[in-house]
Amino acid sequence: MSQATMTKPSTSAKSTYDPYASMDGQDASASSYQADSVPAEPQYKLVIDENVVEKISSKAAQKIDGIIDMKGNLLSRVQEGLGGNDKTKGVDADVVDDKNTKLNLDIVLEYGKSATDVFDQIKKVVGQDIKDMTGLNVIEMTVNVVDVMTQDEYDQKNGNNTDDGQSGSSNDQ
């Protein structure tokens, strides 16, 4: 340490450090600059979770005639096997930014229905529901037709009511 720092600060203009300078108003220009850089209005941000986009997409797709079911992954099959219900089954969403999202849907197509017509309906219905409910634009959508079956085949596979009035399961879907 130099001797100058050990002595009592002088009142001359050559002083290099004044711990009270900011209190005297000497740095008023710096503090006013900082105050001016703070926005006058608060910042608001709406964040939509990917799970929400997946749920909306799944519910919207299930309204479309020609889709028997959404094809889930192993986890959704386990949930359903235990009596649960996967609300996002068959949908994978990626929220790209605060305005855009990408979707990947896995569907089971009803036998006899046109895949292209169902695809057009999916684009329209799912895209509009996502836009209306979240404000997000669907910038990319891939629809994978992973299976095709009749309604009767689907009902038999899942143990739903049959034509003879008997039920293979007490869980109606």
Side-chain angles (χ1 to χ4, degrees):
M1 287 188 156
S2 71
Q3 187 178 7
T5 58
M6 303 281 289
T7 61
K8 183 178 178 183
S10 68
T11 57
S12 70
K14 287 192 161 201
S15 175
T16 57
Y17 174 71
D18 184 2
Y20 304 105
S22 63
M23 295 174 65
D24 293 340
Q26 292 176 357
D27 291 333
S29 63
S31 63
S32 67
Y33 174 75
Q34 290 173 349
D36 290 343
S37 67
V38 175
E41 293 292 321
Q43 298 291 319
Y44 298 103
K45 186 171 185 172
L46 175 64
V47 178
I48 307 292
D49 191 73
E50 291 173 348
N51 190 43
V52 172
V53 175
E54 291 170 354
K55 193 178 225 182
I56 293 168
S57 301
S58 181
K59 286 185 173 289
Q62 291 174 9
K63 297 188 291 187
I64 298 169
D65 182 43
I67 297 179
I68 294 214
D69 197 10
M70 304 294 287
K71 189 73 169 184
N73 57 18
L74 178 62
L75 179 61
S76 62
R77 287 192 295 266
V78 169
Q79 281 180 322
E80 289 175 348
L82 296 173
N85 191 3
D86 184 6
K87 303 281 191 222
T88 63
K89 180 171 81 168
V91 182
D92 183 34
D94 179 22
V95 178
V96 179
D97 54 34
D98 59 346
K99 295 185 191 293
N100 301 303
T101 187
K102 294 179 181 180
L103 298 174
N104 189 8
L105 290 85
D106 295 334
I107 67 165
V108 177
L109 182 69
E110 183 177 357
Y111 181 81
K113 301 289 181 172
S114 166
T116 55
D117 290 347
V118 170
F119 179 61
D120 289 340
Q121 281 295 107
I122 292 170
K123 291 188 298 186
K124 180 180 172 186
V125 173
V126 173
Q128 192 62 50
D129 280 7
I130 294 293
K131 179 70 174 171
D132 291 346
M133 296 177 75
T134 67
L136 296 171
N137 296 310
V138 177
I139 59 170
E140 183 179 312
M141 181 187 299
T142 303
V143 176
N144 302 301
V145 179
V146 295
D147 201 355
V148 62
M149 59 179 60
T150 65
Q151 187 65 48
D152 290 338
E153 289 173 326
Y154 178 77
D155 290 342
Q156 276 185 326
K157 179 180 175 185
N158 292 302
N160 293 344
N161 289 339
T162 58
D163 290 336
D164 62 3
Q166 297 178 357
S167 176
S169 172
S170 61
N171 294 338
D172 290 324
Q173 293 187 16

